[in-house]
Each structure stands twice: as C-alpha cells, then as structure tokens.
Amino acid sequence: MAKKMHYTFFVNPAARSGKSMVVWGEVEQFLKSTGVAFDSRLSTAPGELRKWAYQYAKYEDSADRQLVVVGGDGSLNEVINGLLLIQKEVSHWLIFQRDQETILHVLTVSQGRL
C-alpha cells in the first residue's frame, strides 16, 4: 500500500498586506475537511523561511513529503535560497534534476509578478 502524502506549508502572513492569511485560512480549512496530512509554519521575521527551507531539505528526506510556500515572490525567493544552501552540502539534494519528484509548490498571493 502506498504511503499517504504529507504536505508542509511555509506561510508568510505579511505577504500582500496580510492577504496570504485569507488564502491560508481557506486552504487550511479544506485540508482539515478532507483529511490531508499536513503541518504548517507561519513566519514572524525576514529570513525565517530561508532557514526553515534549509532545515527541511536537510532533515526531511522522504518521497512522501511535499513543501508548499504560501506567499509572494519574496517568500519564494527565501525558500529557494534555503534549498540551494543545502545543495552545496549534500550532493544527493539537487532540486533541479529532471528525474526527481516535484518537491516545491507555490500558492502565490503576489500581485502577479511570479
């Protein structure tokens, strides 16, 4: 039997002047109502998403986990930079390999710049 997929959400509450929290609230309600396995972290300071992405990449080495960013282009930039930091340390973690599963998803709340 296949393992149930688990999603980790990194949420930037400040994105789009707080609009991200409206989006996240709707997504969280849907996830809970459908029984999707997930956890979430709400950032409180600049640079926090980058640190979390680094830690996620370093310690979450499982094919049944997916990372989702809820925020704008700045949030995505922080997360990608955190993932790239780990790529320098761990040769098997290459986020741009064609044969790998998708590990990063984005729920954008930006003004269309993504």
Side-chain angles (χ1 to χ4, degrees):
M1 187 164 89
K3 289 178 95 175
K4 188 174 183 179
M5 188 64 65
H6 182 96
Y7 296 87
T8 296
F9 289 83
F10 290 170
V11 183
N12 179 357
R16 188 84 187 272
S17 300
K19 183 179 178 187
S20 61
M21 288 307 293
V22 174
V23 171
W24 171 240
E26 293 172 3
V27 170
E28 183 179 34
Q29 185 176 26
F30 172 79
L31 295 169
K32 287 179 178 179
S33 71
T34 57
V36 173
F38 75 96
D39 63 276
S40 61
R41 291 183 172 189
L42 278 62
S43 66
T44 59
E48 204 166 39
L49 295 174
R50 179 180 174 198
K51 179 172 47 173
W52 291 346
Y54 171 85
Q55 292 169 342
Y56 178 89
K58 190 167 187 171
Y59 299 109
E60 299 296 339
D61 189 21
S62 179
D64 62 337
R65 296 187 66 87
Q66 298 287 304
L67 178 59
V68 184
V69 179
V70 182
D73 54 350
S75 304
L76 181 60
N77 183 26
E78 277 196 42
V79 170
I80 288 174
N81 279 305
L83 295 175
L84 289 173
L85 281 175
I86 197 67
Q87 186 168 316
K88 293 177 183 177
E89 294 179 20
V90 183
S91 61
H92 73 272
W93 183 266
L94 299 172
I95 64 172
F96 300 113
Q97 284 184 342
R98 291 182 186 170
D99 61 339
Q100 296 293 320
E101 297 281 330
T102 301
I103 56 95
L104 177 63
H105 306 273
V106 180
L107 290 176
T108 183
V109 292
S110 72
Q111 297 180 1
R113 294 182 289 194
L114 284 177

